[in-house]
Amino acid sequence: MYINENGEVVKNTNPNVGLYILDSQGKETKVNIPEDSLGFQLGQAAQIHSSGVLRATPHYVKAAAGSSYSRNTFAVFLQPHWDTAMDSAVDPYTFGISEKQWKPNMNFGEFTEATIKYFYSTDSEEPMEFGKSQL
């Protein structure tokens, strides 16, 4: 949904604005979700708990620089309890989880804090190229 400076719903007139993902072939792809549809995105907690069967999709939103409207969404996050063990039957490093995010015996709270630091730290040794941030 796009809203102008008067609070009115408007159409997006910029074809480059919106949600982008890194698809399974590693290609940056714009996603267009129809107005009468819902989009679902799995996070890395689901990826770890499913031992890599389910995969998180790296994504970002590209804004319209200097435009007179904004993109608005309603995100709902389903996640484990803060103290839930982040166990996996398979080593998470084998399916794309960084050593800076996950360590054996971590709980979800520790994983969340490490993940935020990994993706948003300004002194990261591994800068994110895809969309400047993958979250």
Side-chain angles (χ1 to χ4, degrees):
M1 173 185 298
Y2 296 87
I3 310 258
N4 68 15
E5 66 272 8
N6 298 320
E8 301 162 328
V9 176
V10 297
K11 293 280 184 191
N12 172 26
T13 57
N14 185 333
N16 298 317
V17 169
L19 178 64
Y20 286 79
I21 65 166
L22 193 61
D23 70 19
S24 59
Q25 284 76 44
K27 181 181 172 200
E28 188 173 324
T29 305
K30 185 170 186 298
V31 176
N32 293 307
I33 300 171
E35 288 183 22
D36 61 348
S37 301
L38 290 173
F40 290 89
Q41 194 274 334
L42 293 171
Q44 290 181 318
Q47 185 169 324
I48 291 170
H49 282 153
S50 72
S51 299
V53 172
L54 301 174
R55 294 294 181 119
T57 304
H59 63 285
Y60 73 96
V61 174
K62 187 180 287 186
S67 75
S68 60
Y69 60 89
S70 64
R71 178 181 180 272
N72 292 265
T73 61
F74 179 69
V76 176
F77 295 89
L78 303 175
Q79 59 196 35
H81 290 287
W82 198 250
D83 59 353
T84 299
M86 291 297 294
D87 295 330
S88 177
V90 178
D91 186 342
Y93 307 136
T94 64
F95 52 79
I97 303 298
S98 169
E99 293 176 0
K100 293 184 178 186
Q101 292 176 267
W102 183 87
K103 303 257 187 288
N105 303 315
M106 270 187 148
N107 64 35
F108 178 71
E110 294 163 333
F111 173 74
T112 299
E113 290 171 350
T115 297
I116 290 169
K117 183 177 180 184
Y118 174 70
F119 282 109
Y120 292 104
S121 175
T122 56
D123 62 337
S124 174
E125 295 174 16
E126 299 177 34
M128 297 288 107
E129 295 296 324
F130 174 72
K132 308 295 185 239
S133 171
Q134 292 186 17
L135 292 178

PDB file of all heavy atoms in Angstrom, residues 16-32:
ATOM      1  N   ASN A  16      10.557   0.682  -9.935  1.00  0.00           N
ATOM      2  CA  ASN A  16      11.717   0.192  -9.190  1.00  0.00           C
ATOM      3  C   ASN A  16      11.500   0.149  -7.683  1.00  0.00           C
ATOM      4  O   ASN A  16      12.320  -0.404  -6.953  1.00  0.00           O
ATOM      5  CB  ASN A  16      12.939   1.056  -9.501  1.00  0.00           C
ATOM      6  CG  ASN A  16      13.305   0.976 -10.969  1.00  0.00           C
ATOM      7  OD1 ASN A  16      13.295  -0.091 -11.554  1.00  0.00           O
ATOM      8  ND2 ASN A  16      13.599   2.108 -11.563  1.00  0.00           N
ATOM      9  N   VAL A  17      10.417   0.735  -7.205  1.00  0.00           N
ATOM     10  CA  VAL A  17      10.125   0.800  -5.771  1.00  0.00           C
ATOM     11  C   VAL A  17       9.412  -0.470  -5.335  1.00  0.00           C
ATOM     12  O   VAL A  17       8.577  -1.002  -6.052  1.00  0.00           O
ATOM     13  CB  VAL A  17       9.241   2.034  -5.469  1.00  0.00           C
ATOM     14  CG1 VAL A  17       8.707   1.998  -4.056  1.00  0.00           C
ATOM     15  CG2 VAL A  17      10.030   3.299  -5.704  1.00  0.00           C
ATOM     16  N   GLY A  18       9.771  -0.976  -4.149  1.00  0.00           N
ATOM     17  CA  GLY A  18       9.051  -2.119  -3.606  1.00  0.00           C
ATOM     18  C   GLY A  18       9.956  -3.158  -2.986  1.00  0.00           C
ATOM     19  O   GLY A  18      11.101  -2.895  -2.638  1.00  0.00           O
ATOM     20  N   LEU A  19       9.425  -4.359  -2.862  1.00  0.00           N
ATOM     21  CA  LEU A  19      10.085  -5.476  -2.200  1.00  0.00           C
ATOM     22  C   LEU A  19      10.991  -6.220  -3.171  1.00  0.00           C
ATOM     23  O   LEU A  19      10.585  -6.565  -4.285  1.00  0.00           O
ATOM     24  CB  LEU A  19       9.030  -6.440  -1.646  1.00  0.00           C
ATOM     25  CG  LEU A  19       9.519  -7.711  -0.962  1.00  0.00           C
ATOM     26  CD1 LEU A  19      10.315  -7.384   0.297  1.00  0.00           C
ATOM     27  CD2 LEU A  19       8.334  -8.611  -0.630  1.00  0.00           C
ATOM     28  N   TYR A  20      12.220  -6.479  -2.727  1.00  0.00           N
ATOM     29  CA  TYR A  20      13.185  -7.255  -3.498  1.00  0.00           C
ATOM     30  C   TYR A  20      13.658  -8.431  -2.664  1.00  0.00           C
ATOM     31  O   TYR A  20      13.805  -8.313  -1.443  1.00  0.00           O
ATOM     32  CB  TYR A  20      14.400  -6.397  -3.878  1.00  0.00           C
ATOM     33  CG  TYR A  20      14.103  -5.399  -4.965  1.00  0.00           C
ATOM     34  CD1 TYR A  20      13.443  -4.209  -4.689  1.00  0.00           C
ATOM     35  CD2 TYR A  20      14.474  -5.656  -6.287  1.00  0.00           C
ATOM     36  CE1 TYR A  20      13.153  -3.295  -5.693  1.00  0.00           C
ATOM     37  CE2 TYR A  20      14.201  -4.738  -7.289  1.00  0.00           C
ATOM     38  CZ  TYR A  20      13.541  -3.562  -6.989  1.00  0.00           C
ATOM     39  OH  TYR A  20      13.259  -2.669  -7.982  1.00  0.00           O
ATOM     40  N   ILE A  21      13.883  -9.559  -3.324  1.00  0.00           N
ATOM     41  CA  ILE A  21      14.417 -10.746  -2.659  1.00  0.00           C
ATOM     42  C   ILE A  21      15.654 -11.224  -3.409  1.00  0.00           C
ATOM     43  O   ILE A  21      15.887 -10.853  -4.560  1.00  0.00           O
ATOM     44  CB  ILE A  21      13.383 -11.892  -2.597  1.00  0.00           C
ATOM     45  CG1 ILE A  21      13.037 -12.390  -4.008  1.00  0.00           C
ATOM     46  CG2 ILE A  21      12.152 -11.474  -1.810  1.00  0.00           C
ATOM     47  CD1 ILE A  21      12.309 -13.714  -4.038  1.00  0.00           C
ATOM     48  N   LEU A  22      16.418 -12.055  -2.746  1.00  0.00           N
ATOM     49  CA  LEU A  22      17.493 -12.783  -3.392  1.00  0.00           C
ATOM     50  C   LEU A  22      16.921 -14.178  -3.632  1.00  0.00           C
ATOM     51  O   LEU A  22      16.659 -14.921  -2.680  1.00  0.00           O
ATOM     52  CB  LEU A  22      18.722 -12.835  -2.495  1.00  0.00           C
ATOM     53  CG  LEU A  22      20.022 -13.278  -3.130  1.00  0.00           C
ATOM     54  CD1 LEU A  22      20.437 -12.325  -4.247  1.00  0.00           C
ATOM     55  CD2 LEU A  22      21.120 -13.339  -2.090  1.00  0.00           C
ATOM     56  N   ASP A  23      16.654 -14.525  -4.907  1.00  0.00           N
ATOM     57  CA  ASP A  23      15.987 -15.795  -5.192  1.00  0.00           C
ATOM     58  C   ASP A  23      16.931 -16.982  -5.009  1.00  0.00           C
ATOM     59  O   ASP A  23      18.111 -16.814  -4.702  1.00  0.00           O
ATOM     60  CB  ASP A  23      15.316 -15.779  -6.568  1.00  0.00           C
ATOM     61  CG  ASP A  23      16.290 -15.790  -7.740  1.00  0.00           C
ATOM     62  OD1 ASP A  23      17.460 -16.162  -7.573  1.00  0.00           O
ATOM     63  OD2 ASP A  23      15.844 -15.429  -8.856  1.00  0.00           O
ATOM     64  N   SER A  24      16.411 -18.184  -5.214  1.00  0.00           N
ATOM     65  CA  SER A  24      17.195 -19.399  -4.948  1.00  0.00           C
ATOM     66  C   SER A  24      18.391 -19.564  -5.882  1.00  0.00           C
ATOM     67  O   SER A  24      19.294 -20.344  -5.582  1.00  0.00           O
ATOM     68  CB  SER A  24      16.291 -20.634  -5.030  1.00  0.00           C
ATOM     69  OG  SER A  24      15.709 -20.719  -6.322  1.00  0.00           O
ATOM     70  N   GLN A  25      18.432 -18.828  -6.981  1.00  0.00           N
ATOM     71  CA  GLN A  25      19.595 -18.855  -7.872  1.00  0.00           C
ATOM     72  C   GLN A  25      20.567 -17.720  -7.570  1.00  0.00           C
ATOM     73  O   GLN A  25      21.548 -17.522  -8.274  1.00  0.00           O
ATOM     74  CB  GLN A  25      19.148 -18.754  -9.349  1.00  0.00           C
ATOM     75  CG  GLN A  25      18.564 -20.036  -9.904  1.00  0.00           C
ATOM     76  CD  GLN A  25      17.149 -20.292  -9.423  1.00  0.00           C
ATOM     77  OE1 GLN A  25      16.320 -19.388  -9.389  1.00  0.00           O
ATOM     78  NE2 GLN A  25      16.873 -21.510  -9.024  1.00  0.00           N
ATOM     79  N   GLY A  26      20.283 -16.924  -6.529  1.00  0.00           N
ATOM     80  CA  GLY A  26      21.162 -15.826  -6.144  1.00  0.00           C
ATOM     81  C   GLY A  26      20.926 -14.548  -6.925  1.00  0.00           C
ATOM     82  O   GLY A  26      21.737 -13.630  -6.872  1.00  0.00           O
ATOM     83  N   LYS A  27      19.805 -14.461  -7.611  1.00  0.00           N
ATOM     84  CA  LYS A  27      19.483 -13.285  -8.412  1.00  0.00           C
ATOM     85  C   LYS A  27      18.567 -12.335  -7.634  1.00  0.00           C
ATOM     86  O   LYS A  27      17.581 -12.756  -7.038  1.00  0.00           O
ATOM     87  CB  LYS A  27      18.792 -13.721  -9.711  1.00  0.00           C
ATOM     88  CG  LYS A  27      18.441 -12.575 -10.625  1.00  0.00           C
ATOM     89  CD  LYS A  27      17.739 -13.087 -11.873  1.00  0.00           C
ATOM     90  CE  LYS A  27      17.224 -11.908 -12.667  1.00  0.00           C
ATOM     91  NZ  LYS A  27      16.164 -12.324 -13.585  1.00  0.00           N
ATOM     92  N   GLU A  28      18.896 -11.055  -7.644  1.00  0.00           N
ATOM     93  CA  GLU A  28      18.055 -10.035  -7.024  1.00  0.00           C
ATOM     94  C   GLU A  28      16.796  -9.873  -7.881  1.00  0.00           C
ATOM     95  O   GLU A  28      16.875  -9.622  -9.076  1.00  0.00           O
ATOM     96  CB  GLU A  28      18.824  -8.720  -6.956  1.00  0.00           C
ATOM     97  CG  GLU A  28      18.135  -7.648  -6.160  1.00  0.00           C
ATOM     98  CD  GLU A  28      19.018  -6.426  -5.983  1.00  0.00           C
ATOM     99  OE1 GLU A  28      20.246  -6.572  -5.832  1.00  0.00           O
ATOM    100  OE2 GLU A  28      18.461  -5.331  -6.005  1.00  0.00           O
ATOM    101  N   THR A  29      15.627 -10.048  -7.249  1.00  0.00           N
ATOM    102  CA  THR A  29      14.365 -10.075  -7.978  1.00  0.00           C
ATOM    103  C   THR A  29      13.329  -9.202  -7.285  1.00  0.00           C
ATOM    104  O   THR A  29      13.150  -9.296  -6.075  1.00  0.00           O
ATOM    105  CB  THR A  29      13.831 -11.533  -8.043  1.00  0.00           C
ATOM    106  OG1 THR A  29      14.833 -12.361  -8.616  1.00  0.00           O
ATOM    107  CG2 THR A  29      12.562 -11.625  -8.852  1.00  0.00           C
ATOM    108  N   LYS A  30      12.629  -8.372  -8.063  1.00  0.00           N
ATOM    109  CA  LYS A  30      11.532  -7.564  -7.510  1.00  0.00           C
ATOM    110  C   LYS A  30      10.304  -8.457  -7.383  1.00  0.00           C
ATOM    111  O   LYS A  30       9.982  -9.221  -8.283  1.00  0.00           O
ATOM    112  CB  LYS A  30      11.214  -6.371  -8.397  1.00  0.00           C
ATOM    113  CG  LYS A  30      10.162  -5.460  -7.778  1.00  0.00           C
ATOM    114  CD  LYS A  30      10.036  -4.166  -8.546  1.00  0.00           C
ATOM    115  CE  LYS A  30       9.117  -3.193  -7.868  1.00  0.00           C
ATOM    116  NZ  LYS A  30       7.747  -3.626  -7.726  1.00  0.00           N
ATOM    117  N   VAL A  31       9.624  -8.363  -6.249  1.00  0.00           N
ATOM    118  CA  VAL A  31       8.426  -9.157  -5.984  1.00  0.00           C
ATOM    119  C   VAL A  31       7.224  -8.235  -6.021  1.00  0.00           C
ATOM    120  O   VAL A  31       7.199  -7.200  -5.348  1.00  0.00           O
ATOM    121  CB  VAL A  31       8.514  -9.834  -4.593  1.00  0.00           C
ATOM    122  CG1 VAL A  31       7.233 -10.575  -4.280  1.00  0.00           C
ATOM    123  CG2 VAL A  31       9.712 -10.752  -4.528  1.00  0.00           C
ATOM    124  N   ASN A  32       6.225  -8.614  -6.788  1.00  0.00           N
ATOM    125  CA  ASN A  32       4.973  -7.858  -6.852  1.00  0.00           C
ATOM    126  C   ASN A  32       3.868  -8.722  -6.271  1.00  0.00           C
ATOM    127  O   ASN A  32       3.478  -9.718  -6.869  1.00  0.00           O
ATOM    128  CB  ASN A  32       4.647  -7.465  -8.296  1.00  0.00           C
ATOM    129  CG  ASN A  32       5.650  -6.478  -8.841  1.00  0.00           C
ATOM    130  OD1 ASN A  32       5.895  -5.451  -8.238  1.00  0.00           O
ATOM    131  ND2 ASN A  32       6.254  -6.803  -9.964  1.00  0.00           N
TER     132      ASN A  32
END
